[in-house]
Amino acid sequence: MADNSLQENRLSLARASLREALARYSHLRQGKKNSNNTELEAALQYQLDILTSTSEKLDHNIIRIATFGLVSRGKSAVLNALLGHKILQTGPLNGVTQWPRSVRWSVPLSFLDSGDESPQSPLGKEGKGGVQVELIDTPGLDEVGGEVRGEMAKQVTRQADLILFVVAGDITRTEYQALCELQTAQKPLILVFNKIDLYPELDRKAIYQSLQALGNSEELAAAAVTEETDSENLSDRPNNSSDKSTAKPPAKTAKSLEIVMVAAEPAPVQVRVEWSDGRVTNEWESPPAQIDELKHKILTILNREGRSLLALNALVEARDAEANIARHVLKLRQTEAEDLIWQFAKYKALAVGLNPVAFLDVMGASVADLALIRSLSRLYGLPMTGYEAGKLWQTIFSSAGGVLLGELGSSFLLGFGKSAAAAAPHIGFSTFAGVAVTQASLAAYGTYAVGRAAQVYLEKGCTWGPLGQDTVIQEILATIERNTIIDRLQQEFKI
């Protein structure tokens, strides 16, 4: 189990990172709307709301567990069994759950104090260090339209820290495609084989082995890319007879797939009742739910690495939100940025062309480029010091070195030619003017190249700063314990 202080330190780093991100974009919330593009403004506000809600989730230590699956697989029943009460509606008809619904899970103390769990577990505690657990129920993935279902699944998956994918037998092709998509979300996933009470022992074992074969392959996400076209077609298809066949195991699957067998709401069984007066009757009784193995699996994961998962998922969510915010800001400020770049290019060209001293040409060009980078950062609302602008300029220079080195080298050589023309009047003004025009053109093009490259780098936001999301993710992953869910998932935390 991860040391509590280490997990708390990871949470603290994540909180600091998100607070810095919120402070970075505070001007966007407080500022007046100065764009006629209301659709883009709304999209920007949506991403800011995601960033805010993610920070609040982290501050309140809320771990969310979401269920997915097709209709009639018993998703709501599984959550009811975990809760110990029938809170979520279930029934024989398909599509009882129409919209996602979350319920707070008060973890039983008997589970916290047994097995591998620590009596000092943070689960369910109030106040500092306490972790709250929410269970999210979702509609069947084949119940609603493809576009609506896809957007709903994205939103719930984004909020979830742990995913339960519920099946009730051999996995169908539609389920397989949905599982492929969920595996790309960089979240730990438990495959829940529900309704095992409906199968004889031999059939149950055969299905479990089939699911194990699916889970023991190398990378399930790879199949989602190679079969993307089939996935889009299947997502809109109703659950018909063609879906009943078992999906062919992929060549590769994620190593984080866990499989647990449960009977969340066992079918009633008929029992013989002998009464004291000699009467014998047959009555129907509902057996207790077989859910303890799943409870134990979930609580083991949450106690071992729940807060680390919470921190990493919040950072990934915030990173994606920041990337979207940067893209939206760049679109909103596109015209102003283009004007700013051309303004700097014009003034730099004029200054370099008229200046007769070669050394000052090169120095002035570099200073102008740094000033342009800082001006663009202010325009986009991304604070940047002179030191940070210098580092970014070095990065841009190394990426576009051919263009910029050519500009600086030509500027230096042409500057000497121009200086010689200015110092020797007999060479003529036309020579000076020709060299100056050539040098000015190169300087203007170099500034334009720097401005465009700066836009690309600024679009990535500030995720690589000292408290940037990517930086903190790297720090956390560098200290992750071996043989944990995160250790098996960390190759998917793309940075």
Side-chain angles (χ1 to χ4, degrees):
M1 179 184 299
D3 182 74
N4 282 336
S5 61
L6 185 58
Q7 290 210 62
E8 280 300 325
N9 181 58
R10 293 166 183 164
L11 274 179
S12 297
L13 282 173
R15 290 190 189 103
S17 177
L18 264 70
R19 285 169 185 157
E20 182 180 87
L22 284 172
R24 190 155 52 238
Y25 297 111
S26 60
H27 67 284
L28 294 176
R29 288 189 176 278
Q30 300 168 359
K32 296 181 180 180
K33 307 295 182 185
N34 54 2
S35 171
N36 294 325
N37 193 334
T38 56
E39 183 178 350
L40 200 55
E41 289 277 7
L44 176 60
Q45 188 62 44
Y46 175 71
Q47 296 300 327
L48 288 169
D49 291 341
I50 289 177
L51 201 58
T52 302
S53 64
T54 303
S55 179
E56 292 173 351
K57 174 174 177 271
L58 203 56
D59 287 339
H60 291 90
N61 291 350
I62 299 175
I63 294 178
R64 294 192 172 111
I65 302 174
T67 58
F68 290 97
L70 304 190
V71 294
S72 300
R73 297 314 191 254
K75 299 181 296 297
S76 301
V78 167
L79 295 188
N80 283 334
L82 289 172
L83 292 165
H85 303 283
K86 192 170 182 178
I87 296 177
L88 300 168
Q89 185 180 0
T90 61
L93 299 178
N94 289 345
V96 174
T97 304
Q98 296 294 323
W99 300 101
R101 179 184 174 188
S102 63
V103 182
R104 181 65 58 87
W105 184 20
S106 299
V107 182
L109 292 177
S110 59
F111 276 89
L112 293 180
D113 297 335
S114 63
D116 296 331
E117 317 308 333
S118 168
Q120 284 76 39
S121 166
L123 295 175
K125 288 184 178 180
E126 300 290 341
K128 185 177 181 181
V131 174
Q132 309 305 312
V133 182
E134 282 187 6
L135 305 177
I136 304 177
D137 192 18
T138 62
L141 290 173
D142 53 344
E143 180 65 21
V144 291
E147 185 176 345
V148 175
R149 181 194 65 234
E151 186 59 34
M152 177 210 70
K154 279 183 183 178
Q155 291 182 9
V156 175
T157 304
R158 175 178 55 76
Q159 298 173 18
D161 301 292
L162 176 65
I163 294 173
L164 307 180
F165 192 84
V166 183
V167 298
D170 277 333
I171 191 168
T172 69
R173 188 168 183 183
T174 301
E175 287 173 320
Y176 170 66
Q177 295 293 344
L179 190 57
C180 286
E181 293 173 8
L182 287 172
Q183 282 290 98
T184 63
Q186 304 171 349
K187 306 292 176 76
L189 187 148
I190 299 175
L191 184 60
V192 181
F193 175 17
N194 189 25
K195 302 187 180 182
I196 59 172
D197 57 300
L198 301 181
Y199 296 92
E201 184 67 21
L202 289 177
D203 291 349
R204 184 190 311 172
K205 288 183 178 179
I207 294 172
Y208 183 76
Q209 290 171 358
S210 175
L211 296 174
Q212 277 187 319
L214 179 72
N216 288 336
S217 315
E218 295 177 5
E219 187 180 2
L220 190 137
V225 177
T226 59
E227 297 187 15
E228 183 176 355
T229 303
D230 286 342
S231 175
E232 292 174 354
N233 294 335
L234 283 168
S235 65
D236 294 328
R237 187 184 302 172
N239 189 24
N240 52 33
S241 59
S242 64
D243 284 333
K244 299 299 182 183
S245 60
T246 303
K248 182 180 179 181
K252 298 183 175 181
T253 193
K255 300 177 181 178
S256 57
L257 194 61
E258 306 272 356
I259 304 172
V260 179
M261 295 194 295
V262 303
E265 196 173 36
V269 295
Q270 196 174 43
V271 297
R272 176 186 171 93
V273 180
E274 297 182 358
W275 301 90
S276 58
D277 59 2
R279 287 182 303 114
V280 177
T281 60
N282 292 318
E283 299 185 3
W284 292 93
E285 290 185 0
S286 296
Q290 301 175 39
I291 201 71
D292 286 355
E293 183 182 353
L294 179 59
K295 273 186 182 178
H296 188 271
K297 175 69 70 176
I298 292 173
L299 297 179
T300 298
I301 292 173
L302 297 187
N303 277 313
R304 287 183 64 190
E305 47 194 318
R307 284 167 290 176
S308 299
L309 276 172
L310 175 59
L312 281 170
N313 286 331
L315 288 166
V316 170
E317 189 174 355
R319 178 186 65 185
D320 294 343
E322 275 217 79
N324 290 328
I325 289 171
R327 280 194 291 271
H328 292 316
V329 170
L330 257 67
K331 288 181 181 178
L332 284 172
R333 305 284 187 264
Q334 184 174 4
T335 302
E336 299 169 71
E338 290 289 342
D339 291 343
L340 183 65
I341 292 173
W342 281 115
Q343 185 179 15
F344 266 85
K346 179 177 62 178
Y347 289 141
K348 177 181 172 182
L350 186 62
V352 169
L354 295 178
N355 177 54
V357 183
F359 177 74
L360 292 180
D361 283 347
V362 176
M363 291 298 296
S366 301
V367 171
D369 290 342
L370 291 174
L372 172 60
I373 292 173
R374 293 197 66 179
S375 297
L376 283 173
S377 72
R378 284 194 294 270
L379 176 65
Y380 295 138
L382 301 174
M384 181 178 291
T385 64
Y387 173 71
E388 291 169 332
K391 288 180 64 178
L392 180 56
W393 187 86
Q394 291 175 12
T395 304
I396 293 172
F397 187 89
S398 63
S399 298
V403 174
L404 299 183
L405 186 60
E407 184 221 329
L408 291 179
S410 300
S411 180
F412 196 71
L413 293 174
L414 291 172
F416 271 117
K418 189 176 58 179
S419 299
H426 65 276
I427 295 179
F429 177 76
S430 60
T431 303
F432 179 90
V435 173
V437 169
T438 303
Q439 190 181 20
S441 300
L442 286 171
Y445 181 75
T447 296
Y448 180 76
V450 168
R452 298 297 291 178
Q455 284 181 299
V456 173
Y457 282 98
L458 290 171
E459 186 176 354
K460 296 179 180 179
C462 299
T463 61
W464 280 109
L467 281 175
Q469 288 88 49
D470 281 318
T471 303
V472 177
I473 288 173
Q474 274 197 336
E475 290 180 14
I476 292 176
L477 292 180
T479 61
I480 287 298
E481 300 78 7
R482 299 297 302 273
N483 300 319
T484 60
I485 287 283
I486 298 176
D487 181 45
R488 299 197 295 270
L489 272 175
Q490 64 175 315
Q491 61 182 348
E492 299 178 24
F493 284 97
K494 300 171 185 175
I495 52 177

mmCIF file of all heavy atoms in Angstrom, residues 333-352:
data_model
loop_
_atom_site.group_PDB
_atom_site.id
_atom_site.type_symbol
_atom_site.label_atom_id
_atom_site.label_comp_id
_atom_site.label_asym_id
_atom_site.label_seq_id
_atom_site.Cartn_x
_atom_site.Cartn_y
_atom_site.Cartn_z
ATOM 1 N N ARG A 333 -8.508 35.247 -30.471
ATOM 2 C CA ARG A 333 -7.546 36.345 -30.633
ATOM 3 C C ARG A 333 -6.790 36.250 -31.970
ATOM 4 O O ARG A 333 -5.754 36.888 -32.139
ATOM 5 C CB ARG A 333 -6.524 36.304 -29.491
ATOM 6 C CG ARG A 333 -7.135 36.337 -28.104
ATOM 7 C CD ARG A 333 -7.617 37.715 -27.733
ATOM 8 N NE ARG A 333 -8.041 37.758 -26.338
ATOM 9 C CZ ARG A 333 -9.291 37.618 -25.952
ATOM 10 N NH1 ARG A 333 -10.241 37.430 -26.848
ATOM 11 N NH2 ARG A 333 -9.614 37.663 -24.666
ATOM 12 N N GLN A 334 -7.296 35.457 -32.897
ATOM 13 C CA GLN A 334 -6.558 35.186 -34.129
ATOM 14 C C GLN A 334 -6.260 36.457 -34.918
ATOM 15 O O GLN A 334 -5.131 36.704 -35.337
ATOM 16 C CB GLN A 334 -7.334 34.198 -35.010
ATOM 17 C CG GLN A 334 -6.588 33.779 -36.267
ATOM 18 C CD GLN A 334 -7.336 32.703 -37.027
ATOM 19 O OE1 GLN A 334 -8.437 32.324 -36.664
ATOM 20 N NE2 GLN A 334 -6.742 32.207 -38.093
ATOM 21 N N THR A 335 -7.270 37.288 -35.113
ATOM 22 C CA THR A 335 -7.079 38.517 -35.895
ATOM 23 C C THR A 335 -6.103 39.455 -35.204
ATOM 24 O O THR A 335 -5.192 40.015 -35.846
ATOM 25 C CB THR A 335 -8.426 39.232 -36.105
ATOM 26 O OG1 THR A 335 -9.333 38.340 -36.768
ATOM 27 C CG2 THR A 335 -8.245 40.480 -36.944
ATOM 28 N N GLU A 336 -6.274 39.643 -33.883
ATOM 29 C CA GLU A 336 -5.367 40.510 -33.134
ATOM 30 C C GLU A 336 -3.945 39.989 -33.174
ATOM 31 O O GLU A 336 -2.984 40.769 -33.281
ATOM 32 C CB GLU A 336 -5.839 40.618 -31.684
ATOM 33 C CG GLU A 336 -7.224 41.225 -31.524
ATOM 34 C CD GLU A 336 -7.751 41.062 -30.112
ATOM 35 O OE1 GLU A 336 -7.228 41.740 -29.214
ATOM 36 O OE2 GLU A 336 -8.664 40.236 -29.907
ATOM 37 N N ALA A 337 -3.780 38.658 -33.083
ATOM 38 C CA ALA A 337 -2.435 38.081 -33.100
ATOM 39 C C ALA A 337 -1.762 38.289 -34.449
ATOM 40 O O ALA A 337 -0.566 38.620 -34.511
ATOM 41 C CB ALA A 337 -2.514 36.586 -32.773
ATOM 42 N N GLU A 338 -2.529 38.104 -35.532
ATOM 43 C CA GLU A 338 -1.950 38.313 -36.861
ATOM 44 C C GLU A 338 -1.510 39.774 -37.028
ATOM 45 O O GLU A 338 -0.433 40.057 -37.571
ATOM 46 C CB GLU A 338 -2.983 37.952 -37.939
ATOM 47 C CG GLU A 338 -3.287 36.476 -38.044
ATOM 48 C CD GLU A 338 -2.132 35.691 -38.643
ATOM 49 O OE1 GLU A 338 -1.248 36.307 -39.272
ATOM 50 O OE2 GLU A 338 -2.105 34.460 -38.473
ATOM 51 N N ASP A 339 -2.340 40.702 -36.571
ATOM 52 C CA ASP A 339 -1.978 42.121 -36.649
ATOM 53 C C ASP A 339 -0.717 42.408 -35.845
ATOM 54 O O ASP A 339 0.160 43.174 -36.287
ATOM 55 C CB ASP A 339 -3.127 42.990 -36.144
ATOM 56 C CG ASP A 339 -4.336 42.954 -37.081
ATOM 57 O OD1 ASP A 339 -4.163 42.536 -38.241
ATOM 58 O OD2 ASP A 339 -5.446 43.332 -36.646
ATOM 59 N N LEU A 340 -0.646 41.792 -34.651
ATOM 60 C CA LEU A 340 0.514 42.014 -33.789
ATOM 61 C C LEU A 340 1.792 41.478 -34.426
ATOM 62 O O LEU A 340 2.833 42.156 -34.418
ATOM 63 C CB LEU A 340 0.280 41.334 -32.436
ATOM 64 C CG LEU A 340 1.377 41.524 -31.381
ATOM 65 C CD1 LEU A 340 1.476 42.990 -30.976
ATOM 66 C CD2 LEU A 340 1.080 40.657 -30.157
ATOM 67 N N ILE A 341 1.712 40.282 -35.006
ATOM 68 C CA ILE A 341 2.891 39.687 -35.648
ATOM 69 C C ILE A 341 3.369 40.552 -36.814
ATOM 70 O O ILE A 341 4.564 40.846 -36.950
ATOM 71 C CB ILE A 341 2.587 38.251 -36.123
ATOM 72 C CG1 ILE A 341 2.389 37.324 -34.905
ATOM 73 C CG2 ILE A 341 3.722 37.717 -37.001
ATOM 74 C CD1 ILE A 341 1.913 35.930 -35.266
ATOM 75 N N TRP A 342 2.437 40.986 -37.660
ATOM 76 C CA TRP A 342 2.832 41.810 -38.800
ATOM 77 C C TRP A 342 3.324 43.184 -38.372
ATOM 78 O O TRP A 342 4.198 43.777 -39.015
ATOM 79 C CB TRP A 342 1.662 41.942 -39.778
ATOM 80 C CG TRP A 342 1.489 40.731 -40.634
ATOM 81 C CD1 TRP A 342 0.446 39.873 -40.662
ATOM 82 C CD2 TRP A 342 2.442 40.228 -41.582
ATOM 83 N NE1 TRP A 342 0.665 38.861 -41.557
ATOM 84 C CE2 TRP A 342 1.885 39.055 -42.151
ATOM 85 C CE3 TRP A 342 3.702 40.647 -42.018
ATOM 86 C CZ2 TRP A 342 2.537 38.307 -43.111
ATOM 87 C CZ3 TRP A 342 4.355 39.894 -42.983
ATOM 88 C CH2 TRP A 342 3.784 38.742 -43.522
ATOM 89 N N GLN A 343 2.784 43.690 -37.279
ATOM 90 C CA GLN A 343 3.263 44.983 -36.764
ATOM 91 C C GLN A 343 4.716 44.862 -36.314
ATOM 92 O O GLN A 343 5.552 45.724 -36.626
ATOM 93 C CB GLN A 343 2.377 45.431 -35.603
ATOM 94 C CG GLN A 343 2.727 46.821 -35.072
ATOM 95 C CD GLN A 343 1.807 47.239 -33.941
ATOM 96 O OE1 GLN A 343 1.091 46.413 -33.373
ATOM 97 N NE2 GLN A 343 1.811 48.508 -33.609
ATOM 98 N N PHE A 344 5.043 43.806 -35.578
ATOM 99 C CA PHE A 344 6.422 43.599 -35.148
ATOM 100 C C PHE A 344 7.324 43.356 -36.355
ATOM 101 O O PHE A 344 8.461 43.841 -36.397
ATOM 102 C CB PHE A 344 6.499 42.404 -34.183
ATOM 103 C CG PHE A 344 6.422 42.798 -32.737
ATOM 104 C CD1 PHE A 344 5.199 42.977 -32.119
ATOM 105 C CD2 PHE A 344 7.569 43.000 -31.993
ATOM 106 C CE1 PHE A 344 5.106 43.336 -30.790
ATOM 107 C CE2 PHE A 344 7.506 43.370 -30.649
ATOM 108 C CZ PHE A 344 6.268 43.535 -30.046
ATOM 109 N N ALA A 345 6.823 42.573 -37.330
ATOM 110 C CA ALA A 345 7.630 42.301 -38.527
ATOM 111 C C ALA A 345 7.940 43.602 -39.266
ATOM 112 O O ALA A 345 9.073 43.816 -39.741
ATOM 113 C CB ALA A 345 6.880 41.322 -39.442
ATOM 114 N N LYS A 346 6.959 44.478 -39.338
ATOM 115 C CA LYS A 346 7.143 45.756 -40.056
ATOM 116 C C LYS A 346 8.161 46.639 -39.349
ATOM 117 O O LYS A 346 9.102 47.155 -39.984
ATOM 118 C CB LYS A 346 5.792 46.459 -40.168
ATOM 119 C CG LYS A 346 5.847 47.806 -40.864
ATOM 120 C CD LYS A 346 4.439 48.379 -40.995
ATOM 121 C CE LYS A 346 3.810 48.628 -39.629
ATOM 122 N NZ LYS A 346 2.446 49.229 -39.747
ATOM 123 N N TYR A 347 7.998 46.814 -38.030
ATOM 124 C CA TYR A 347 8.908 47.678 -37.293
ATOM 125 C C TYR A 347 10.318 47.099 -37.224
ATOM 126 O O TYR A 347 11.318 47.822 -37.274
ATOM 127 C CB TYR A 347 8.373 47.942 -35.891
ATOM 128 C CG TYR A 347 7.155 48.836 -35.876
ATOM 129 C CD1 TYR A 347 6.094 48.608 -35.013
ATOM 130 C CD2 TYR A 347 7.072 49.934 -36.739
ATOM 131 C CE1 TYR A 347 4.965 49.414 -35.013
ATOM 132 C CE2 TYR A 347 5.962 50.756 -36.746
ATOM 133 C CZ TYR A 347 4.909 50.494 -35.882
ATOM 134 O OH TYR A 347 3.798 51.303 -35.887
ATOM 135 N N LYS A 348 10.406 45.768 -37.093
ATOM 136 C CA LYS A 348 11.727 45.140 -37.054
ATOM 137 C C LYS A 348 12.433 45.311 -38.402
ATOM 138 O O LYS A 348 13.629 45.606 -38.460
ATOM 139 C CB LYS A 348 11.583 43.660 -36.708
ATOM 140 C CG LYS A 348 12.902 42.891 -36.711
ATOM 141 C CD LYS A 348 12.663 41.420 -36.392
ATOM 142 C CE LYS A 348 13.925 40.597 -36.591
ATOM 143 N NZ LYS A 348 13.694 39.158 -36.333
ATOM 144 N N ALA A 349 11.680 45.121 -39.483
ATOM 145 C CA ALA A 349 12.266 45.295 -40.814
ATOM 146 C C ALA A 349 12.759 46.719 -41.008
ATOM 147 O O ALA A 349 13.854 46.960 -41.549
ATOM 148 C CB ALA A 349 11.236 44.934 -41.881
ATOM 149 N N LEU A 350 11.970 47.688 -40.547
ATOM 150 C CA LEU A 350 12.340 49.093 -40.697
ATOM 151 C C LEU A 350 13.591 49.426 -39.887
ATOM 152 O O LEU A 350 14.524 50.074 -40.387
ATOM 153 C CB LEU A 350 11.174 49.980 -40.253
ATOM 154 C CG LEU A 350 11.315 51.489 -40.478
ATOM 155 C CD1 LEU A 350 11.440 51.794 -41.967
ATOM 156 C CD2 LEU A 350 10.120 52.235 -39.881
ATOM 157 N N ALA A 351 13.603 48.932 -38.629
ATOM 158 C CA ALA A 351 14.742 49.233 -37.758
ATOM 159 C C ALA A 351 16.016 48.572 -38.257
ATOM 160 O O ALA A 351 17.092 49.202 -38.290
ATOM 161 C CB ALA A 351 14.438 48.763 -36.333
ATOM 162 N N VAL A 352 15.930 47.319 -38.673
ATOM 163 C CA VAL A 352 17.115 46.605 -39.155
ATOM 164 C C VAL A 352 17.599 47.199 -40.472
ATOM 165 O O VAL A 352 18.804 47.322 -40.716
ATOM 166 C CB VAL A 352 16.795 45.098 -39.316
ATOM 167 C CG1 VAL A 352 17.918 44.380 -40.073
ATOM 168 C CG2 VAL A 352 16.602 44.446 -37.949
#
